[in-house]
Amino acid sequence: KELYPAHYSFYEKACNFADHLLKLSVDPVKAAAVQKNLNLCHLNVRPSGVIALSFLFPLLTIVFGSLIAFGIFGMFFFVVFFLIVGLLMVPALQKVPKFMANTWRMKASNQMVQSVFYLVTYMRHTSNLERAIEFAADHLEPPLSLDLRKILWDVETQTYSTIRESANTYLQHWEESNKDFVEAFHLIESSLYEGSEDR
C-alpha cells in the first residue's frame, strides 16, 4: 500500500464505493477478462465494482451536470449535452482496467532487461533466488519493482509456499506478451539446480 501509485488507489476506492452502492452481476466471460487486468495492476477490486463505477459516475454527471448547467444558463441544450457525455463515458470507464494494465505492461516491459541483469548479477554473487528478487526490486523503479515485491509478499503471507511457485504464477501474466522474459527468468531459476559452477 505504501508503494502503490496514488491514482491507482483512488480508482480502487472509487470502484469499491460504487460496488457497495450498486450490486451488479457481471457476465462471467467479461468478468474474467476484467479480473485479469485488475490482477496485473494489483488492484483490490471486483469486476462488478468496475462495471458499477462505469454506470454510477456517468449517471451523476448527467444529473448534476444538467441541473447545474440548466440552472446557470437556462438552456435545454446543456441537458442534452451532458446526457450524451454521460452515455459516452459508460464504455470508456469500462475500459479503464484494460488501459491501466496496458500502461503497466509497457512500463514493466521497458525494465525487464535491467531486472534480468540485476537478478543475474546477484545470483553470480550468492545463489539465492529470493534475495536476488529482493535485490532487483530494491534497485528498480515501479511498476516492475512492485511486481517483484509482490512475488516476495505472496510467499511471506503464505499465499504460495515457495518463491519459485510465487514467481511462476507471476510469470503467467507474461506468457503471451513477453516470452523472452519468462524464458530468462526460468533459466535463472534452473541455475540453482546445476551441479557445477561451470554449468
Side-chain angles (χ1 to χ4, degrees):
K1 285 182 180 179
E2 289 171 3
L3 299 165
Y4 205 66
H7 60 287
Y8 280 38
S9 299
F10 177 76
Y11 179 74
E12 185 177 83
K13 287 173 185 172
C15 285
N16 287 329
F17 176 74
D19 198 17
H20 286 301
L21 285 180
L22 304 173
K23 302 291 182 185
L24 300 176
S25 58
V26 186
D27 175 48
V29 177
K30 190 174 185 179
V34 172
Q35 189 62 54
K36 187 177 178 183
N37 292 325
L38 294 173
N39 290 343
L40 183 67
C41 297
H42 312 294
L43 286 166
N44 188 21
V45 176
R46 298 186 318 158
S48 58
V50 173
I51 304 301
L53 183 66
S54 74
F55 286 114
L56 183 65
F57 190 71
L59 185 67
L60 293 173
T61 303
I62 291 167
V63 172
F64 289 108
S66 299
L67 288 173
I68 292 167
F70 192 74
I72 294 171
F73 300 106
M75 294 174 64
F76 189 71
F77 165 78
F78 288 104
V79 176
V80 176
F81 172 76
F82 278 105
L83 179 66
I84 293 167
V85 168
L87 291 173
L88 291 173
M89 286 172 74
V90 174
L93 285 170
Q94 288 181 3
K95 290 180 181 174
V96 168
K98 186 177 181 180
F99 173 76
M100 291 169 94
N102 286 339
T103 305
W104 190 286
R105 200 176 281 117
M106 283 190 292
K107 287 181 179 177
S109 293
N110 292 336
Q111 299 173 304
M112 283 181 175
V113 173
Q114 199 176 1
S115 72
V116 170
F117 170 74
Y118 283 133
L119 289 167
V120 171
T121 302
Y122 193 91
M123 293 283 279
R124 288 289 294 164
H125 176 263
T126 308
S127 293
N128 186 312
L129 184 62
E130 193 166 345
R131 287 178 182 254
I133 291 172
E134 187 179 2
F135 177 79
D138 289 340
H139 289 83
L140 288 168
E141 296 290 319
L144 196 56
S145 63
L146 290 173
D147 287 348
L148 296 177
R149 288 181 200 280
K150 182 74 166 68
I151 292 171
L152 298 169
W153 181 253
D154 284 344
V155 177
E156 287 177 21
T157 56
Q158 297 181 349
T159 306
Y160 301 104
S161 55
T162 64
I163 190 76
R164 191 167 188 181
E165 188 183 349
S166 180
N168 289 341
T169 303
Y170 165 70
L171 290 171
Q172 288 174 0
H173 295 302
W174 298 102
E175 285 287 348
E176 294 175 14
S177 57
N178 202 327
K179 285 187 178 179
D180 293 336
F181 176 66
V182 176
E183 286 177 19
F185 208 101
H186 285 316
L187 281 169
I188 293 166
E189 284 180 337
S190 65
S191 71
L192 290 166
Y193 300 99
E194 293 294 350
S196 67
E197 183 64 25
D198 292 342
R199 287 285 295 161

